[in-house]
Amino acid sequence: MQSKVDAPCPQCLKDDALTMLAMSSEIPYFGEHTQITVICESCGWKHTDFIPSDGEKPGYSSLIVDNPEKCSARVVRSSSGTIRIPQLELEVSPGGSSSGFVSNVEGVIKRFEDAVGSILRGNADDENIVQASLELLESLRKMKSGSSHFLIELLDPRGRSQIIHNDAIIRDLMENEIQSLDIGPEVPVFEMR
Ligand SMILES: [Zn+2]
């Protein structure tokens, strides 16, 4: 389904430039969901999100990644999901990166690597940042290869995200967790349903 969006682009503020694509599909163990992509034909802004069809999921899921097989566990992250690797104090929050994605644990680590890589390139003359970034990249490399165990957490107060694995812990969010989360700007078109 493709439709025009009756709202200005959040980036370039142009009217009549947004188009929304909605597509239903099935992710194994996550279930039926609608993938929504909004694109601005004027400036190229793009936003993707996932909305489960059968209601909200519990807000918290986590997985201890202690063997390479778990690196391929599916990760469905909607625009309101926060991903944390507490051991490295790394976090992808809705404020920083608001588009949703379906990936796996390895793909999430790759995203962290890319983010650290661009910090490194942007601060090549700051010795402290360079050193810290290189250490982070080395830790992430070990995690990706399965030689270092770690916990990965996904928190989503809108209940649209999940880590999918038999060993994942899935529960509701606790009050203090909800308060620590940034749920990001809600793109108005996602309220139409
Ligand atoms: Zn735009």
Side-chain angles (χ1 to χ4, degrees):
M1 187 196 83
Q2 184 170 341
S3 54
K4 276 281 175 194
V5 176
D6 189 19
C9 169
Q11 186 166 278
C12 70
L13 306 175
K14 211 162 179 249
D15 284 315
D16 300 323
L18 295 181
T19 301
M20 178 173 83
L21 298 156
M23 197 176 69
S24 284
S25 63
E26 177 91 17
I27 299 175
Y29 307 104
F30 187 71
E32 174 93 10
H33 69 286
T34 304
Q35 177 178 336
I36 292 175
T37 303
V38 181
I39 300 165
C40 174
E41 60 198 33
S42 175
C43 71
W45 179 81
K46 187 174 171 219
H47 184 95
T48 301
D49 214 346
F50 304 94
I51 300 175
S53 307
D54 40 354
E56 288 190 10
K57 310 277 175 191
Y60 177 95
S61 52
S62 70
L63 181 66
I64 295 169
V65 182
D66 53 8
N67 70 46
E69 177 268 328
K70 289 182 182 167
C71 276
S72 53
R74 270 277 159 111
V75 176
V76 180
R77 187 250 176 189
S78 85
S79 67
S80 48
T82 293
I83 300 177
R84 289 178 179 161
I85 300 180
Q87 194 176 321
L88 298 181
E89 294 178 17
L90 288 179
E91 176 172 301
V92 178
S93 67
S97 161
S98 65
S99 233
F101 58 80
V102 178
S103 185
N104 55 23
V105 171
E106 186 182 350
V108 170
I109 294 173
K110 182 84 181 36
R111 282 166 186 268
F112 279 122
E113 284 178 335
D114 291 347
V116 174
S118 63
I119 291 171
L120 187 56
R121 282 189 299 278
N123 295 277
D125 47 5
D126 186 322
E127 207 175 300
N128 292 332
I129 294 178
V130 168
Q131 188 57 32
S133 300
L134 291 175
E135 282 169 16
L136 268 180
L137 287 174
E138 175 60 12
S139 301
L140 289 166
R141 192 190 60 76
K142 284 185 186 157
M143 288 175 171
K144 214 167 54 175
S145 68
S147 65
S148 163
H149 299 175
F150 62 100
L151 172 73
I152 181 165
E153 296 179 304
L154 180 48
L155 303 89
D156 186 347
R158 294 192 205 275
R160 297 174 180 173
S161 306
Q162 203 146 62
I163 299 171
I164 301 161
H165 192 279
N166 279 338
D167 295 338
I169 291 169
I170 293 175
R171 59 162 170 81
D172 289 328
L173 283 170
M174 291 186 278
E175 197 52 44
N176 62 335
E177 289 169 337
I178 293 171
Q179 273 157 21
S180 73
L181 294 172
D182 172 6
I183 57 170
E186 177 74 353
V187 176
V189 293
F190 298 144
E191 293 302 335
M192 301 182 349
R193 235 164 79 78

